[in-house]
Amino acid sequence: MGSREDIVAAAASIMREQGYARATTKEIARAAGYSEALLYKHFKDKTEIFLCVLTEENPPLAAIVEELIGTAGEQPIEANITRIVRGALDFFLGSFPIGVSVFSTKELLTAHRERLAEVGAGPRNPIDGVALYLSKEIELGRVNPDADPQAAASLLLGACFHHAFLCTYEAVEPEKSTLDELATTLARTALSGLRRLP
């Protein structure tokens, strides 16, 4: 690994153990074995590091959604939605312990929100992506045209987020098989409201 990758890995470890708020750039650089000056050669600020942790050290929810947007209609819709839900469960389980401390102070949350807005990132992006995928499936006639893609995306990802919250709160690390089963159940339940009526 190079210095950039070492810094992202160190940041992920510190953020998971101590939360975003307590992970200073100085501590991240020290844990990676580099100077803080070198850290700033790779990253503008801690928010940029946070985004790299989310995209590089967590399961790739955004990549799954982007792929399915581009290939809508090619695979069974149940398989696609199950894949989205399973990816969302992994993503939120990995990111919830990191991101929760952003809410520790109003000032930190405001600064974080403003910085994410600058780079076009934020927690609405996954919902918008899933809604776009569902819109494509509506256009293809595979989803009920009366379904609201934004509402369906919010329900699916909200259920995944809430499960991650419960696991984090209860200090439970769910088994892969449990997550697979939950993903299948959530996808099938959502599909019962999304399927095109005969």
Side-chain angles (χ1 to χ4, degrees):
M1 284 198 306
S3 57
R4 183 192 177 283
E5 292 78 13
D6 291 339
I7 291 166
V8 172
S13 177
I14 293 169
M15 288 178 181
R16 283 191 183 107
E17 291 172 15
Q18 300 178 29
Y20 176 84
R22 297 191 58 180
T24 65
T25 54
K26 185 174 188 175
E27 187 175 354
I28 292 167
R30 183 190 55 74
Y34 299 105
S35 69
E36 197 172 5
L38 180 64
L39 180 147
Y40 282 112
K41 286 186 179 178
H42 292 293
F43 304 98
K44 180 179 179 182
D45 55 22
K46 188 169 76 169
T47 301
E48 189 174 333
I49 298 170
F50 171 76
L51 291 172
C52 289
V53 167
L54 288 184
T55 56
E56 298 170 26
E57 295 289 318
N58 268 343
L61 175 58
I64 291 170
V65 174
E66 284 176 29
E67 178 190 333
L68 292 177
I69 289 169
T71 61
E74 293 181 13
Q75 297 296 322
I77 191 166
E78 185 174 325
N80 289 347
I81 292 178
T82 301
R83 189 170 167 216
I84 288 169
V85 172
R86 188 63 178 85
L89 286 167
D90 285 340
F91 177 80
F92 290 129
L93 283 164
S95 61
F96 198 90
I98 297 170
V100 71
S101 68
V102 169
F103 293 86
S104 60
T105 69
K106 185 176 180 181
E107 295 77 19
L108 178 59
L109 179 59
T110 299
H112 187 72
R113 184 189 312 117
E114 289 172 356
R115 181 68 177 101
L116 287 181
E118 286 176 20
V119 297
R124 285 192 182 273
N125 289 15
I127 293 172
D128 291 342
V130 173
L132 178 57
Y133 161 71
L134 292 172
S135 295
K136 299 261 185 197
E137 294 289 11
I138 289 172
E139 290 170 13
L140 293 167
R142 301 201 325 159
V143 167
N144 184 343
D146 294 330
D148 183 323
Q150 199 75 28
S154 296
L155 288 168
L156 282 169
L157 296 186
C160 297
F161 183 85
H162 191 258
H163 187 75
F165 163 75
L166 290 175
C167 289
T168 303
Y169 178 78
E170 296 168 352
V172 171
E173 193 161 329
E175 296 287 329
K176 179 186 179 303
S177 60
T178 302
L179 294 173
D180 290 344
E181 186 177 325
L182 178 59
T184 299
T185 301
L186 288 173
R188 285 182 180 160
T189 301
L191 275 173
S192 67
L194 290 171
R195 284 200 193 279
R196 188 172 176 87
L197 300 175

